Amino acid sequence: MNVFLESHNINNKAGGLGTFNYQLIKAISNLDISNLDITLNAKHPKRLQNEFKNTFKYSKYTSLERHFLFRKKTKYDVWHSLNQNTKVEPFFKPKKYILTIHDVNFVEEISTNMNHKVNKKFIEKLNRADVITYISEFAKKQTHQYFNVPNVPEHIIYNGNPSEVKIENNSFVPDFKLNQPFFYSIGDFIPRKNFLSIVKMMSFIEGYRLIISGNNQKEYGYEISKYITENNLQDKVILTGKVSDEAKQYYLENCTAFLFPSIREGFGLPPIEAMKFDKPVFLSNLTSLPEIGGDAAFYWDNFDPYYMKTFLFSKLNDFESNKHFYLEKIRTRANFFSWEKAAKQYLELYK
C-alpha cells in the first residue's frame, strides 16, 4: 500500500505542528510497517533520511507544490494531510484522503466569514476528506461548531508525550546565573499563548524567576519585552528565545512549576511534557486544556495577576503538603499520552 504523509511542517520542531509531525513519524518508524510504502514530504528530506534510513521513502517539498500544476503526480492509496492548514494537496485523487485537524482557531482569530479565503480553503479540505481525525474532543467540537462537517468516519487520536524518551547525561547549562527557583513556560510567541499574563503576575512575586522559551522575535515577543523593560522586571523574567531539546529538558527538570495560561489550544503538548518530569502544572481553564490536563493540573479561572499569584502559591503549598497524592495523578496522566499508541491508531486507519 502506497501512503503519502504531507509532513512538510516537520521542519519546525519548535512549534506544535512540527512536534506532531516529527514525533508521530518517529513512532511509526519503530513499528512494523513492512507491508506499507510510506513517503514523507519535507523541505530537507536528507536530514530525515539520515535518521530514518530506508524505513521511509522521501519527497522534497517546495512551495511550488501549493499550486495545482506542481502538485505530486504519483497516485497514492492513502494521502494523510497531517495539518488542517497545509496548502499541499494531491494532483490525483487518492483512494482515501485522511485529514487531521488540530484546531480551527483561525475562525476566531482571522474571520468568522465563511467566504474568507482561509475558511474557504479549509472547507475544500473538509469536503475532500474520506476520514477525519482530531487531536482532542475539543478540536472536534470546535470544528463542528463552525463548519458543516461531511458525513465521514471521525476519530479522536490523542497526541503522545514528547518527553516519553528523556535525554541521558544532559550536559546543558544556561548562559545566565540561576540562583533562585524558577517557573517555566514554552511556546510560540503569539497572543493566544497569553504569556503576558504570567509576566504581569511576576510583579507580585519575590524570590522566584520566570523563564519563557520560544521564538520571541515577533510582534507579541516585542510587546512582552517592552513590558518587562518598562516595569523593571529584567531580573525576574528571562526570555531565552528558541531552545534545543537539551535546554528544554533542563528547564523542565529544574523548574518549580510549569505555567501555561494559553487561551486557545487544540491540544497543548507542553503541559504533558512537564508532567513527565513530575512537575505541578498550571493552566487556563479554556478550550482543550482541561481535557488534556484532567485532574492532574491546576486551573486559573481568570488572568488578574494578583489572583494568579495567590492561586499559584496556594496550590504549590497543597502540592508540597500532599506530594505523593499529586505525583500519582501527574504520572498517570503523563503516561496516558503515548506516541506509540497514536502511531498504532494511525496505522490502523491506513490499513
Side-chain angles (χ1 to χ4, degrees):
M1 193 196 305
N2 220 0
V3 179
F4 184 85
L5 301 189
E6 206 309 275
S7 53
H8 81 270
N9 285 114
I10 201 169
N11 193 42
N12 180 21
K13 287 190 204 169
L17 292 175
T19 300
F20 173 82
N21 277 251
Y22 176 74
Q23 294 289 349
L24 178 62
I25 287 166
K26 185 177 177 183
I28 288 173
S29 75
N30 292 323
L31 299 174
D32 177 14
I33 53 172
S34 54
N35 60 337
L36 299 175
D37 253 352
I38 299 180
T39 300
L40 309 182
N41 197 33
K43 192 174 183 180
H44 305 290
K46 285 220 177 327
R47 294 180 192 171
L48 294 178
Q49 196 165 8
N50 288 340
E51 180 170 358
F52 299 117
K53 306 297 188 283
N54 61 353
T55 304
F56 302 109
K57 292 182 176 177
Y58 303 90
S59 175
K60 184 171 174 59
Y61 161 78
T62 69
S63 57
L64 280 174
E65 290 175 26
R66 299 175 177 206
H67 305 288
F68 180 77
L69 289 176
F70 296 94
R71 290 177 180 177
K72 306 287 187 196
K73 302 296 193 299
T74 307
K75 289 185 177 180
Y76 292 96
D77 295 310
V78 175
W79 179 289
H80 184 183
S81 189
L82 296 178
N83 163 20
Q84 76 278 349
N85 290 331
T86 181
K87 296 179 178 68
V88 179
E89 300 292 356
F91 188 87
F92 297 108
K93 188 181 186 322
K95 289 180 183 175
K96 294 289 180 184
Y97 182 101
I98 300 173
L99 172 63
T100 293
I101 297 176
H102 300 255
D103 63 65
V104 291
N105 289 332
F106 51 86
V107 180
E108 296 167 7
E109 294 175 344
I110 299 174
S111 176
T112 56
N113 180 354
M114 289 298 120
N115 288 317
H116 190 284
K117 63 180 181 181
V118 171
N119 293 328
K120 285 174 79 172
K121 280 282 183 192
F122 178 69
I123 291 168
E124 284 176 18
K125 288 185 86 70
L126 267 183
N127 292 333
R128 188 178 283 120
D130 298 298
V131 178
I132 301 172
T133 68
Y134 303 91
I135 62 170
S136 64
E137 288 284 357
F138 172 78
K140 179 180 179 181
K141 180 182 172 185
Q142 188 190 36
T143 305
H144 279 264
Q145 178 184 347
Y146 291 110
F147 296 95
N148 292 318
V149 178
N151 185 23
V152 298
E154 297 177 280
H155 302 268
I156 309 295
I157 301 181
Y158 285 118
N159 293 340
N161 193 325
S163 293
E164 283 177 278
V165 180
K166 296 176 184 176
I167 300 163
E168 298 295 330
N169 304 315
N170 188 3
S171 59
F172 174 81
V173 178
D175 57 3
F176 51 87
K177 274 191 177 179
L178 257 180
N179 50 5
Q180 289 177 308
F182 66 92
F183 306 116
Y184 187 55
S185 194
I186 187 170
D188 198 7
F189 273 71
I190 50 181
R192 79 168 83 120
K193 297 300 180 184
N194 197 24
F195 290 139
L196 192 55
S197 66
I198 52 177
V199 172
K200 289 179 177 179
M201 179 188 70
M202 291 305 293
S203 299
F204 297 95
I205 293 176
E206 298 298 331
Y208 287 83
R209 297 173 99 176
L210 170 64
I211 298 174
I212 308 177
S213 297
N215 179 14
N216 57 314
Q217 299 300 304
K218 47 178 66 177
E219 190 176 343
Y220 188 58
Y222 301 141
E223 180 186 341
I224 289 174
S225 296
K226 184 181 176 189
Y227 185 91
I228 291 168
T229 303
E230 289 177 350
N231 292 274
N232 298 313
L233 293 171
Q234 297 93 326
D235 292 334
K236 288 187 175 183
V237 183
I238 299 167
L239 307 182
T240 66
K242 288 183 180 179
V243 288
S244 64
D245 289 340
E246 289 79 8
K248 180 172 72 169
Q249 178 167 310
Y250 173 88
Y251 294 128
L252 287 172
E253 279 181 320
N254 292 285
C255 67
T256 299
F258 184 80
L259 316 182
F260 201 69
S262 178
I263 58 175
R264 287 192 188 94
E265 291 291 328
F267 184 88
L269 284 167
I272 60 167
E273 287 189 79
M275 287 182 187
K276 202 70 180 175
F277 293 93
D278 291 347
K279 298 302 173 180
V281 168
F282 290 79
L283 310 172
S284 81
N285 64 351
L286 301 173
T287 63
S288 69
L289 292 176
E291 178 185 348
I292 303 309
D295 65 354
F298 301 111
Y299 299 93
W300 284 299
D301 290 330
N302 66 70
F303 303 112
D304 174 78
Y306 188 76
Y307 155 76
M308 291 181 79
K309 170 251 181 182
T310 305
F311 181 84
L312 172 64
F313 282 97
S314 167
K315 294 305 179 184
L316 280 177
N317 187 52
D318 287 350
F319 176 80
E320 290 300 329
S321 302
N322 304 278
K323 206 159 189 176
H324 179 76
F325 170 77
Y326 282 112
L327 284 178
E328 193 173 330
K329 282 180 176 291
I330 287 169
R331 289 167 183 167
T332 300
R333 196 65 186 158
N335 292 331
F336 172 78
F337 299 99
S338 157
W339 283 112
E340 181 183 354
K341 188 178 2 176
K344 284 178 178 176
Q345 288 176 280
Y346 281 110
L347 287 178
E348 278 304 307
L349 277 186
Y350 302 160
K351 291 171 184 174

